[in-house]
């Protein structure tokens, strides 16, 4: 029998949070962090997000799972909202309508 988690990947995508954590602990990101700020990043926010996502994945209620994900650092500070990007307006300009134009 195939066992499935209560929440599908469309609701709780563990890979997203794993990717964020693995990007943070990666040597390239840590090197940049050391150069820019003089210290390494503990990646605690990403680790806590990964743990919250794992808990959300096990919840039977979609609403409860989404509420847990809403508390994550990723959803509150990054996510798909480009206006929250730390490089918006510094490295690249926001467009009113996203596109290649």
């Amino acid at each position: 029998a195939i066992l499935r988690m209560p929440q599908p990947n469309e609701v709780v995508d563990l890979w997203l949070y794993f990717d964020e954590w693995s990007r943070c602990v990666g040597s390239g990101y840590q090197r940049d962090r050391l150069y820019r700020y003089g210290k390494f990043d503990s990646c605690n926010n990403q680790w806590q997000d990964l743990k919250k996502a794992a808990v959300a994945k096990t919840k039977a209620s979609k609403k409860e799972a989404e509420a847990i994900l809403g508390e994550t650092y990723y959803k509150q500070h990054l996510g798909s909202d480009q206006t929250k990007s730390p490089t918006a307006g510094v490295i690249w300009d926001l467009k009113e309508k996203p596109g290649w134009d």
Side-chain angles (χ1 to χ4, degrees):
I2 296 175
L3 296 176
R4 299 198 188 277
M5 295 298 285
Q7 295 302 324
N9 288 340
E10 292 78 26
V11 177
V12 180
D13 185 4
L14 284 176
W15 284 111
L16 171 72
Y17 295 96
F18 180 79
D19 286 346
E20 283 295 307
W21 175 77
S22 62
R23 176 198 56 79
C24 185
V25 297
S27 60
Y29 176 77
Q30 291 295 335
R31 181 195 64 233
D32 290 349
R33 226 7 229 209
L34 183 61
Y35 177 77
R36 291 179 186 165
Y37 304 106
K39 60 183 178 178
F40 292 114
D41 189 336
S42 70
C43 301
N44 188 54
N45 291 325
Q46 291 78 6
W47 178 245
Q48 295 304 317
D49 281 0
L50 183 57
K51 292 193 305 186
K52 286 179 184 177
V55 168
K57 189 79 170 173
T58 65
K59 297 299 179 185
S61 164
K62 178 180 176 182
K63 189 174 181 179
E64 190 176 357
E66 288 173 341
I68 292 170
L69 293 180
E71 298 171 358
T72 62
Y73 179 84
Y74 181 81
K75 291 289 185 182
Q76 292 179 356
H77 296 95
L78 304 169
S80 61
D81 185 354
Q82 295 179 347
T83 61
K84 294 180 181 176
S85 170
T87 57
V90 178
I91 296 176
W92 54 277
D93 294 323
L94 286 169
K95 297 180 181 179
E96 287 194 32
K97 180 182 176 194
W100 293 105
D101 302 339

